[in-house]
Structures are given as C-alpha cells and as structure tokens.
Amino acid sequence: MIIPIPGQPVRGSKSGQPIMALLDLLGRSWAMGIVWHLYSGPNTFRGLQDYCESISPTTLNTRLKELRDCNLIERTLEGYTLTAYGKELYELLEPMGSWARHRWTQSFKENNNKS
Amino acid sequence: MIIPIPGQPVRGSKSGQPIMALLDLLGRSWAMGIVWHLYSGPNTFRGLQDYCESISPTTLNTRLKELRDCNLIERTLEGYTLTAYGKELYELLEPMGSWARHRWTQSFKENNNKS
DNA sequence: TAGCTTTGCTATAAAATATGTAGCGTAATG
DNA sequence: CATTACGCTACATATTTTATAGCAAAGCTA
C-alpha cells in the first residue's frame, strides 16, 4: 500500500496536493476512527482491536504503520499515542462530531416526505 | 453497500453513533474528494470523472447515490450540487486543507533525522 | 523454572470493494 | 439522419479488507 505523502502522487492526485494526500490517508478504512479514539488516551494494539469492533489485525497493523509513517501517531511505553500533529488533526475533526449529532441527524428527519 | 445512517449500526459501530456513521461514509473511496470538489460549483457526472482522475464510473455512481441518500448532495439542472448540509460539512473539512499544506507538510521535513 | 496469560503481530484464504474497459439508451446539435 | 456528449450499466480483473488461526516474546505465578 502506497503511503500518501504530500507532494508525491497519491490515489486521486498526480500532483500530490497535500489535501489530496490527507484525504487518501484518512479515507482508508478505520483511519479516522483510530485517530478519533486515540484522542481519549494512549491505547494498546488489542485495545484498539476491541474498540474497532470489526477490524482485522492485518488491517489495524497496516493502518497503524501508515499513520506512524505520516507522523500522526507514535508508539510510547503506554501504547499507541497521537503525536502533536495527530492531536491537531483531531481538533479539526472534532467539530464533525457535534455537527453529525446535531445537524446531520436532523437532515434525516426532514426527509420523511421524500420518495 | 450499506448506507451509513446515524442511529443505525454501521461498519465499526453497533450503536450507530452519528460520528461513526459519518466517518464510515466519508471513509469510502473518493467520498471526501467529491464533497471537496463540488464546493467549487455544481458539476456533471463526466466532469467529476475527470476530476477524480482514476475513479471508475461504477464507484462514482455508487458514491453519488450514497451521498444523495445521506443528504449531502443532490441533482439539479446544473448537475450534482452540494446541499446546504453538504456545504456545512465542507466548511468543517476546509480547515484540513490549510492544515495539510502548512502544518502536516512541515512534519515531513522535521523527520530527516529518523531511521 | 515450568506453566499460563497477555500482547503485538504474521500468514493465509475468502469476501468485499474498486478499477478498467466497453458500450447502451437518451437527448441535444448539425 | 449522423454525430456527439451525457449518465450510467455490465462484467472481468485487481486491490483491499475481513476472518481465523496461531506464533514469538514478555510478564506473572506457583
């Protein structure tokens, strides 16, 4: 699996615009979920496996490697942890949580009238 | 493919927490790229195909259906367009663009010293 | 120190998802 | 009519993810 690094061609962008590389990275299964979860504190491999109910160890390991290579997480004595960059990214992701709960959920209620 | 709707079980969350449903939806290939791109204006199926250099029509069509079912895009006379909800979501995504350019890119430069 | 448990992870096969290519039906244009 | 562009479907192939088993290393515990 190609590691999406800004400035290098990635899935969906030959120019390797940073945002495209980031969307590629975060678009892989479980990537955002891992970042989201680690914000609540460091966790072990098995702990993450439990959190991501249906992730396979193969995929978890692949994702962890990618996120490490992309400077978002690192390993410490306490387990996998968000780096400073990872925390910054989480903080950008966070507003999506309340938006999803309050606004997005609402949108499904408006559509009873649809076909 | 299961459409991730808040409140219903989705990939990675039996409880269907809205944020998990959203991460599932946006985590699918090209989903974020489509939202990102449509913010610059309505576009046609073929226009989106060109933008997403390597997407197949099959996947594009699947993704468009999902995004429509999830109230983020709709079809108008001008082509596919972000809904008001889609625009709100884009605005949450937008800060990631400059973060990727300025901060994330920087993180790769710091790591020359690594193994 | 021998056994048991936990942890991080690999191997492998099967299932799910995405790509690549061809091309159909419709509508507009000439 | 013929040509073109559009939205999309079909289908075979390739890639990615899951599911399951299990191994090697480290930490108890007796």
Side-chain angles (χ1 to χ4, degrees), chain A residues 4 6 12-14 18 22-23 27 30 32 53 69-71 85 88 92 96 99-100 103-105 107-108 110-111, chain B residues 4 6 12-14 18 22-23 26-27 30 32 53 69-71 85 88 92 97 99-100 103-104 107-108 110-111:
Chain A
S13 171
K14 285 167 193 157
L22 186 58
L23 294 180
W30 291 108
M32 283 195 287
E53 305 162 27
D69 287 345
C70 289
N71 310 314
Y85 288 105
E88 287 176 17
L92 298 177
M96 286 172 45
W99 180 81
R103 297 281 304 148
W104 192 42
T105 299
S107 79
F108 287 90
E110 287 167 9
N111 286 335
Chain B
S13 171
K14 287 168 192 156
L22 186 59
L23 294 180
L26 296 181
W30 292 108
M32 282 195 288
E53 305 163 27
D69 286 345
C70 290
N71 309 314
Y85 288 106
E88 287 176 17
L92 299 177
W99 181 80
R103 296 282 304 149
W104 192 43
S107 79
F108 288 89
E110 286 168 10
N111 286 334

Side-chain angles (χ1 to χ4, degrees), chain A residues 23-97:
Chain A
L23 294 180
D24 182 2
L25 178 69
L26 295 182
R28 296 174 183 185
S29 75
W30 291 108
M32 283 195 287
I34 291 170
V35 171
W36 188 267
H37 184 62
L38 283 183
Y39 192 78
S40 66
N43 210 333
T44 63
F45 190 93
R46 301 244 164 169
L48 286 167
Q49 259 188 304
D50 289 342
Y51 168 70
C52 305
E53 305 162 27
S54 70
I55 199 175
S56 69
T58 323
T59 305
L60 176 55
N61 200 36
T62 304
R63 222 55 353 123
L64 288 173
K65 268 188 190 118
E66 291 165 2
L67 292 171
R68 263 194 286 175
D69 287 345
C70 289
N71 310 314
L72 299 181
I73 66 175
E74 64 193 350
R75 290 191 69 177
T76 67
L77 292 174
E78 302 170 288
Y80 291 98
T81 316
L82 287 187
T83 62
Y85 288 105
K87 282 178 187 151
E88 287 176 17
L89 180 61
Y90 173 85
E91 274 147 25
L92 298 177
L93 246 34
E94 188 165 44
M96 286 172 45

